[in-house]
Structures are given as C-alpha cells and as structure tokens.
Amino acid sequence: MNRSDLRGVDFKLLVVFETLMQERSVSRAAERLFLGQPATSAALSRLRDVFGDPLLVRTGRQMVPTARAEQIYEQLQPALDAISNVLSRTSEFDPATSEAVFRVGFSDDIEFALLPALLKRLRTEAPGIVLVVRRADFHLMPQLLNTGEVTVAAGYARDLPANAKQKILRHSRAKVLRADSRPGALTLDDYCERPHALVSFDGDLNGYVDDLLAEQGRKRRIVLAVPQFNSLASLLRDTDMVATVPDYAAEVLAAQGGLRVDELPLERPPSPLSMVWQSVYDNDPAERWLRSRIQMMFADDES
C-alpha cells in the first residue's frame, strides 16, 4: 500500500482495534470508546475485512487474538503514538480556562498523604478541570497505563508497559508509628514483640518488613490489616500496636495527634517513588502541565 491508498483508510478503526486488543472484549472496548456494542462489533467486522484475518476469536468469555493480530498490534502502537504526538503539539493548554478531564492513578499512601496538597494547587491554577483518581498500586499500575484508563500514575512502580516513561520523584524511608508514651526508641526486640497493624490493599499479610526480618531469623506479629491509610491513626490511638509506613505518610498521620514517629530498627535502603506516564502523552501540553504539578508537589528536595 502506498501513501495515496491511505485516503481510503478509516483511522478510527485502528483505534478500535487497539482498544479491542487491550480489553479482549467487545463490550468493555465499547464502554471505553463511548460506543454502542453493535457499533464496536461492526467495526471489528470491518477490521477483519481490511486485514483478511479473524483478528480476535472468542474462546469462552474472552476474545483471543490471532498471531496476525498480535503482529499488527505490535507495529500499530508506535504508529498511533507518533500520530497522537504530532496532533498534540498543535494544541495549546491554558489551565485557567481549561475544562479538561485528567485520569490519574495513585497508590493509597499517596492519595492520603500527598494528594491534598496537589489538589489545592490544581484548584488554584485550573479551577475548571476535573481530576479522576484511580487506585493504582504496583500490581494495578501497569494494566491501568496499558489500557489507557489513566494517563499518569504515581507510586512504587515495576513491570511497566514498554511504552511507559518513568521519573523518580522521591526516595522514601520507612518509619514506625506508635501511640504509647514509653520513653526511648523501639529496639528490634521491642519491634518484633509488639503487635503490628498493617495497611494492605489486597489483604496480603506479608511485606518487605517480613522479608527483612526473615533474613535475620525473626518475625513480627500482625494483629490488624486494613486497606487504607485514612483510618490508621484512630486505630493505633490508645493501643500498644505499631505500624510501619512511608515517611511522608507518617508525617501526616502523626500531625493528627496522639502518635509519635520512630525509626525502623532495620537496615533498608530508601524506596524510589515514581511518576509514570504513557509515552503517547509525552508532548501533550495539558499532560505536561499536570506532570509538572505532580512533580512540584510530590518530589522531595533530594530528587
């Protein structure tokens, strides 16, 4: 096919194809694209005619891509990214008048401790925008970015999509929260003997602290696991429980009163907290503005 033949190509079909490959479901793709399910099914039928291949074949409740579809998808993604970049450079963004909708993903600790300051900044500079926040821990972040459900995320990142870009915002250190008034910092023996409260989004009772303790032949006693940080202060208050949390969350929780912050009695290197975004939005003026504000409000002095 030469360039003149592109005049007959409906580029909207390529966007539908990309979404179908990501969702593996006509109904979910239709929902993401704000199309009806019949229109999405019709688009898939046209795509099959264009490429001369079934592309996606229903197997049980899921649609499985053919080898040809996988090949097309691999070549199509960078092409669509390039087109989006070219188009985004022609647009301007004025935060004072914009009514844009931004979809972001934050882990719960960031939403609790760092989002309030960011929101105040955004409301001052861009009162007309809408911020949609999705919960995005390191398990969910890659999928949310890959499917386009969020355009930028912040948290502890790993196993990111190939087209994602990443910037370290800060290096966080673990701190120990306690509500008792016993003098002195916790020793490692004290730490292991005390009952522990844990923030666990998915209910997993094993974390990096347990791995560090296991290396020394020790373990801790977890008596409470909650899915969010916002109730932790009230739950610790007037108890002998301790909780290990990131330093920025510890500061906010301790500021609510009734808690004190101790050093973690274990050697652990700082953890990098990152901002991650889709490369397709790398040069988008609105997204660049949002990322600059996230960096401004989330980054520490060292980063």
Side-chain angles (χ1 to χ4, degrees), residues 86-104:
V86 170
L87 294 176
S88 67
R89 290 177 187 177
T90 65
S91 61
E92 296 181 355
F93 177 72
D94 179 8
T97 60
S98 175
E99 296 181 350
V101 177
F102 293 99
R103 300 183 183 276
V104 301

Side-chain angles (χ1 to χ4, degrees), residues 154-303:
Y156 300 96
R158 69 185 191 192
D159 301 327
L160 295 172
N163 65 341
K165 293 200 171 184
Q166 181 175 5
K167 181 177 182 60
I168 294 176
L169 298 173
R170 62 166 63 207
H171 290 85
S172 79
R173 292 169 170 80
K175 301 289 184 180
V176 180
L177 282 173
R178 51 191 287 204
D180 64 273
S181 57
R182 299 177 196 174
L186 290 174
T187 65
L188 183 56
D189 287 338
D190 295 332
Y191 182 78
C192 293
E193 291 171 2
R194 295 283 283 271
H196 286 250
L198 176 71
V199 178
S200 174
F201 175 62
D202 57 4
D204 186 0
L205 297 180
N206 191 80
Y208 67 86
V209 168
D210 303 283
D211 295 336
L212 292 173
L213 289 171
E215 291 174 1
Q216 301 187 34
R218 293 173 175 264
K219 61 181 181 179
R220 61 177 174 171
R221 181 166 58 96
I222 296 172
V223 300
L224 174 69
V226 294
Q228 296 177 323
F229 278 80
N230 57 13
S231 62
L232 193 58
S234 62
L235 294 170
L236 291 177
R237 204 168 290 128
D238 300 322
T239 76
D240 61 346
M241 291 188 297
V242 298
T244 306
V245 301
D247 48 10
Y248 50 86
E251 293 175 8
V252 175
L253 288 161
Q256 295 178 6
L259 298 177
R260 54 191 278 202
V261 181
D262 273 6
E263 296 296 326
L264 179 68
L266 287 164
E267 290 292 331
R268 180 179 186 255
S271 301
L273 187 149
S274 299
M275 175 171 61
V276 185
W277 65 96
Q278 298 174 323
S279 60
V280 65
Y281 294 108
D282 203 31
N283 295 305
D284 184 282
E287 293 288 336
R288 286 170 65 96
W289 171 82
L290 178 62
R291 293 197 302 270
S292 72
R293 280 8 185 212
I294 292 174
Q295 180 176 349
M296 182 186 302
M297 304 310 297
F298 288 6
D300 59 13
D301 294 336
E302 297 177 8
S303 300

Side-chain angles (χ1 to χ4, degrees), residues 128-147:
I129 68 167
V130 178
L131 190 69
V132 179
V133 181
R134 296 287 301 273
R135 183 64 50 80
D137 62 6
F138 62 84
H139 294 296
L140 298 174
M141 187 185 296
Q143 179 184 354
L144 291 171
L145 286 166
N146 193 48
T147 60

